[in-house]
Amino acid sequence: MYATKADAELSWTQPEPSLSLELIRQATPRGRVIDVGGGSSPLAGLLLDEGYDVAVLDVSEAALNRAKEKLGPRAASVRWIIADVTAAPALGEFDVWHDRAVFHFLTEARDRERYLALLERRVPIGGHAVVATFAEDGPEKCSGLPVRRYSAEQLAAEVGAAFRAVRSERERHMTPWGKEQSFQYSLFERI
């Protein structure tokens, strides 16, 4: 998608990731943050502005290249990781794992198990995860692909006993062309 479309043509484009920033700040005022599926989001630059140590993981090299271009020389301050999160890449540990709209694409149980196993290994006890998915009344597909929709309770059950739900919020996301999408955000603490 990133190789053929501008940001304004991608439904997930979010010019100001306010709720993500709020939840990351609530988790910790400083530290190591990984943005899983970060694509060309402005989140990395905003986190740099606030003094976080930032990594961005995405399966799309084109997306990460676009993000680097937007950041200019500051891109050298971000760790860029081209990988499939379900393939258990070597990442290191993070104080906050942020995922806006990757987990809901994992429709196969085995992919979710791999993702969650990696999450548990990469977020130490006391660390946090921010996971945002389509809510129960959100779209059933995104970019032609099926997704799983979650309530706060369903997402907490899926994430499992290694994490404690701290906060859940709903967000009405407006696509660049004005269509509303319902998201479910949850902040979890690793226990």
Side-chain angles (χ1 to χ4, degrees):
M1 299 295 281
Y2 282 101
T4 60
K5 295 187 176 195
D7 286 352
E9 298 174 296
L10 301 171
S11 64
W12 55 83
T13 295
Q14 187 181 42
E16 183 64 39
S18 302
L19 185 52
S20 291
L21 279 170
E22 181 182 326
L23 294 170
I24 291 167
R25 287 179 191 131
Q26 180 178 343
T28 183
R30 295 283 184 274
R32 298 158 298 175
V33 179
I34 185 166
D35 188 11
V36 176
S40 64
S41 168
L43 183 61
L46 296 168
L47 291 170
L48 285 175
D49 291 344
E50 295 194 20
Y52 290 93
D53 179 7
V54 182
V56 179
L57 180 147
D58 203 286
V59 71
S60 170
E61 184 174 6
L64 295 183
N65 286 339
R66 187 180 299 178
K68 289 176 192 178
E69 287 176 25
K70 289 178 185 179
L71 283 176
R74 294 178 354 137
S77 299
V78 176
R79 181 175 164 211
W80 303 98
I81 306 162
I82 302 165
D84 176 346
V85 71
T86 64
L91 300 174
E93 286 191 343
F94 296 93
D95 301 301
V96 180
W97 173 288
H98 174 266
D99 167 0
R100 178 183 174 267
V102 170
F103 193 70
H104 65 212
F105 281 108
L106 305 180
T107 58
E108 300 293 325
R110 183 69 185 130
D111 288 337
R112 291 190 304 278
E113 290 167 8
R114 289 179 182 139
Y115 175 106
L116 294 169
L118 182 63
L119 174 62
E120 285 184 34
R121 288 193 312 272
R122 299 301 162 217
V123 176
I125 292 173
H128 292 81
V130 175
V131 181
T133 65
F134 282 138
E136 290 175 298
D137 60 339
E140 294 178 0
K141 289 188 173 190
C142 182
S143 299
L145 299 172
V147 297
R148 288 179 56 100
R149 300 175 300 170
Y150 293 91
S151 67
E153 297 78 18
Q154 290 167 331
L155 186 58
E158 189 79 46
V159 169
F163 288 86
R164 174 181 68 88
V166 174
R167 178 177 168 192
S168 293
E169 295 286 337
R170 297 282 303 249
E171 181 183 63
R172 294 284 185 190
H173 167 66
M174 282 297 212
T175 66
W177 48 89
K179 185 176 180 187
E180 195 172 86
Q181 295 179 332
S182 184
F183 274 80
Q184 155 59 44
Y185 281 70
S186 291
L187 172 62
F188 298 98
E189 181 181 8
R190 178 79 163 90
I191 55 174

